[in-house]
Amino acid sequence: HKALPDDAFFPFSLSTNASEFHQDNDKALHWMKVAANSPNAAPWYSAAVAGLMVKEGDRRASIRYLKEQLEQVEDPTLRSFSEERLRILIHEELEEQIEERRRRFIEVVGRNIQSVSELELDFPDPYHVMGGEWILADDGRVRSSIVEEKVLKKTKKRERELLMRAH
């Protein structure tokens, strides 16, 4: 790395090696940060840093990191990757808070919610900029309509793959 300090692929490779083969998330995170800060870094490297922070168990640090990165980012592709990763992480964070509210509602009222409005959420869906809204999904959980759409697409794709394998 000292010989090629501007090369992003080498520290990226070191990060992958540390993560996948040595389960050393600290080293993986260090090298991914080096890779993400390299001049020729792939646009998604910053999102990978955030992913490693989550893997380490610190979603809030990952959210802070992405917000800081977005203040400095001008490249539209990198901005797009980072914004989507940030929305995913914020959604996960809020989904946990909503689930806790739903559990408390069940304890107090004695039934599951029938509408999202019963939870009196005081924060928007992180996908509201894309037309998303909090919905009560078929599984009884509250999530973004955009995330629910993605979940349903993945489920259909898996079902098709299973059907194709069966024939």
Side-chain angles (χ1 to χ4, degrees):
H1 174 67
K2 286 179 184 176
L4 300 168
D6 291 339
D7 179 55
F9 186 72
F10 185 71
F12 168 79
S13 298
L14 288 173
S15 175
T16 302
N17 189 317
S19 177
E20 298 299 318
F21 299 106
H22 301 285
Q23 286 71 47
D24 187 340
N25 204 55
D26 290 337
K27 275 191 180 163
L29 183 56
H30 165 78
W31 286 112
M32 188 55 76
K33 283 181 179 178
V34 170
N37 290 320
S38 298
N40 65 341
W44 55 271
Y45 282 9
S46 290
V49 169
L52 285 167
M53 288 175 158
V54 170
K55 191 174 178 181
E56 195 172 75
D58 200 347
R59 185 184 303 126
R60 289 189 177 137
S62 181
I63 290 169
R64 281 191 308 273
Y65 173 80
L66 284 172
K67 284 180 177 179
E68 289 169 7
Q69 288 295 105
L70 283 168
E71 289 175 8
Q72 303 166 18
V73 171
E74 293 179 19
D75 178 84
T77 306
L78 177 55
R79 176 167 286 286
S80 177
F81 275 112
S82 297
E83 286 173 341
E84 178 58 16
R85 186 67 188 146
L86 181 60
R87 276 190 293 274
I88 289 168
L89 294 173
I90 291 172
H91 184 273
E92 289 172 355
E93 189 78 16
L94 293 175
E95 195 175 23
E96 286 178 7
Q97 292 175 26
I98 293 168
E99 182 57 21
E100 183 55 36
R101 282 189 189 189
R102 188 179 73 85
R103 279 192 215 111
R104 283 193 309 249
F105 180 92
I106 292 169
E107 287 174 12
V108 171
V109 178
R111 66 169 174 79
N112 198 1
I113 63 170
Q114 296 171 345
S115 167
V116 174
S117 63
E118 291 179 290
L119 295 178
E120 300 175 3
L121 301 179
D122 52 356
F123 42 80
D125 173 347
Y127 287 90
H128 74 279
V129 295
M130 301 167 68
E133 61 183 343
W134 294 116
I135 61 164
L136 180 59
D138 290 339
D139 63 2
R141 296 189 62 130
V142 175
R143 63 176 62 92
S144 170
S145 57
I146 302 288
V147 171
E148 180 66 5
E149 190 177 309
K150 290 177 183 182
V151 167
L152 292 174
K153 283 181 183 178
K154 273 186 185 176
T155 302
K156 282 183 181 179
K157 183 180 177 189
R158 283 189 201 128
E159 288 173 354
R160 279 192 203 116
E161 289 171 353
L162 288 172
L163 289 171
M164 296 300 286
R165 287 185 198 145
H167 286 72

